[in-house]
Amino acid sequence: MEITFRLNGEDVTLSTEPTTTLLDWLREDRGLTGTKEGCNEGDCGACTVMVTDDQGPKALNACILFLPQLHGKAVRTVEGIAAPCGALHPVQEAMVDHHGSQCGFCTPGFIVSMATDHLTGSKDHDTTLAGNLCRCTGYAPIIRAARAAEAAPIPEHMRDTPPSSFPKNLGGAKRGQSPHALPTTSDELAAWAVEHPHGTIVAGATDVGLWVTKHHAPLGPVAFLHACDDLKEIEETEDAIRLGAAVTISRAMDALPYEELREMFRRYGSTQVRNAATIGGNIANGSPIGDSPPPLVALGATLHLRRGDTRRALPLEDFFLDYKKQDRAPGEFVEAVTVPKRPDRLRVYKLSKRADQDISAVCGAFYVPLDKAGNADEPRIAFGGMAGTPKRALHTEAALHDQPWTIASVERALPAMARDFQPLSDMRASAEYRLHTAKNMLLRAVMADTGAPLSVAEVRAEMRA
C-alpha cells in the first residue's frame, strides 16, 4: 500500500505492508529511536506519538499503530517536540527543572503525552499520564512538570496539519489489485467485505495490533476504517444516540449521558488506547470481558449490522452466541450501535487487579428504573467475565421485578444469581470469587441509592510541592 502522511513537519510517501507498525518503521527505517519499545502491546506508553487528523491531535501508541492508519494524517515523535532551531518545548524545560526523569527510557513517551496535553489545553494530567509507565522517578515530579508548563505559550511548530494533498481512497477491492483497502465510506467497505468475507477489518488496532506484535499472526486481506467518515458519525435524537462503529471510546465517553459509564470508560484503558479503540471494535471482538457490552446491554442498546446492501438490527445481547462466536455472517460487519437515552440510573462496576488500565475480572452493569411505589420496574442486569459471553442475569432480574428496591429485597434475590451464572476460574479470579463479587456489586447498586459512601476513589492523598 502506498501511503502519505506528515512526519515532524515533512510529508512522507512510502509503500508499506499493511501490518508494519509505526514503531518498527520509525526505529528501523528512519533511525528515529527516541520512540521506545517497551511492552509492545500498548500498555506502557514508551512509544507514545502525537497524531493529528481532522478531529485534532491525540496521543497514540506507535507499537500497535499500523502505517496505513496514518494515511492522510500528521505524526509528531519525540524528536519533533523541540523547535526546529533546537529550543526546548515548555514541557521539556519543565521536566528538567522539576527533575522528572531518571533512567530516561519512559521519558520520550511522557514528553509526547504532556506536549499533546499542552497543545489541547487538557489539565487532567493524572488521567492523561496513566498510560505512561514510570518506575524510576515516580509521578510526583512529572505531574509537577506538567502543571508548571500549562501556562506557557504553544510553540508554533506544534500546530500540525495533515498533508494538503494525498489520494483519499487506496482501493484494493478490484481484481488484480492488492486485497488490502482503505475505504472512505461504509459502502466501499461493504463491497470489500463481500469480496473478502474472511478478511480483517482494522479500526483502532488495540486488539488486532497484538495479534501481529505478540502472536505474529497473518491477517490476510485487511481493510482500515479510519477514513470511513460515515462510520465515525454520532447521531442524537430525542430518545437515542447512534454511534458509528468507528467512534472511538474517547468520543463515546463524551457522547453518552451516563456518569458511571463515563467513569468505567476512563478505566477502560489508557488515554492512548481510548483515543484509538472503537465502540464497534470492542463489540465485534466478542470478548466475554469486553467492558462496553455489559452497560450497553443493561441500557437496552441495539446493534446494527451490514452485509453488502443488506442491513439488519438486533438487540445487542442477542449478538453474543457463545465464546468468541457472534451472530455475524462472513462479510458482515458492525455498522453502528444505538443507545437509548434514559434517566441516568445506570450503575457500572469494574473489578480488576489495577484501578486503571487493566482487564476486568468482572464488570457488572445495573439499570433498575423504579415505579411510583419505589419498586424495581423491569430491571436489566448484565455482566462481563461471568460466562463465555457478556450475559444478562435473567433469573436475578425476575426475582427483583416488582419488588421494593431495598437491601432486603436484593438480599432475597441474590441466590438467583447462581442460576444465571456458573463462571470459570482463571488467572484473574476464581469462580467462587467472581460469583461472590457479582452479588456484592448488586448490593452496591442498591446501596448507592441510599447515599452510602461507596467509592474508594474519593479518598485521595494531597500532593505537596
Side-chain angles (χ1 to χ4, degrees), residues 141-341:
I142 297 173
I143 296 293
R144 285 196 287 268
R147 289 175 180 170
E150 287 174 356
I154 296 171
E156 198 58 37
H157 71 279
M158 292 296 296
R159 301 183 189 275
D160 277 330
T161 57
S164 58
S165 178
F166 61 94
K168 303 291 185 182
N169 189 325
L170 296 188
K174 297 180 181 180
R175 288 183 175 83
Q177 292 187 352
S178 166
H180 312 301
L182 203 161
T184 58
T185 66
S186 57
D187 289 342
E188 293 173 3
L189 173 64
W192 178 90
V194 168
E195 188 158 335
H196 302 90
H198 301 291
T200 302
I201 296 175
V202 175
T206 55
D207 188 46
V208 174
L210 274 67
W211 301 358
V212 173
T213 63
K214 296 299 182 182
H215 303 292
H216 308 289
L219 300 185
V222 182
F224 295 93
L225 298 193
H226 69 271
C228 290
D229 289 341
D230 55 342
L231 292 181
K232 295 188 284 188
E233 292 177 354
I234 299 175
E235 302 174 23
E236 184 171 356
T237 63
E238 186 176 341
D239 58 2
I241 298 173
R242 178 182 167 113
L243 304 173
V247 169
T248 64
I249 298 297
S250 292
R251 294 181 64 215
M253 286 174 66
D254 295 333
L256 295 173
Y258 299 103
E259 182 178 353
E260 292 202 2
L261 178 57
R262 286 194 291 268
E263 172 58 18
M264 188 279 291
F265 277 147
R266 187 193 66 78
R267 296 178 56 202
Y268 169 98
S270 65
T271 297
Q272 294 94 320
V273 168
R274 292 192 298 272
N275 284 341
T278 62
I279 195 76
N282 195 235
I283 292 170
N285 175 273
S287 170
I289 50 174
D291 283 334
S292 67
L296 297 183
V297 167
L299 288 167
T302 298
L303 191 66
H304 304 274
L305 299 168
R306 179 174 181 180
R307 186 182 188 278
D309 294 328
T310 301
R311 290 180 168 91
R312 64 187 177 108
L314 71 162
L316 176 58
E317 64 215 69
D318 294 341
F319 178 64
F320 306 104
L321 303 178
D322 203 345
Y323 179 71
K324 288 289 187 176
K325 182 179 181 182
Q326 301 89 46
D327 182 7
R328 182 165 56 87
E332 191 173 37
F333 60 91
V334 174
E335 190 170 37
V337 60
T338 297
V339 184
K341 291 167 67 176

Side-chain angles (χ1 to χ4, degrees), residues 32 65 73 102 165 173 179 239-240 248 251 282 367 369 436:
L32 297 176
L65 189 63
K73 302 182 182 182
Q102 288 190 40
S165 178
D239 58 2
T248 64
R251 294 181 64 215
N282 195 235
Y367 193 83
H436 184 73

Side-chain angles (χ1 to χ4, degrees), residues 74-92:
V75 180
R76 192 160 287 271
T77 69
V78 68
E79 289 88 352
I81 299 300
C85 67
L88 293 182
H89 187 284
V91 301
Q92 293 174 311

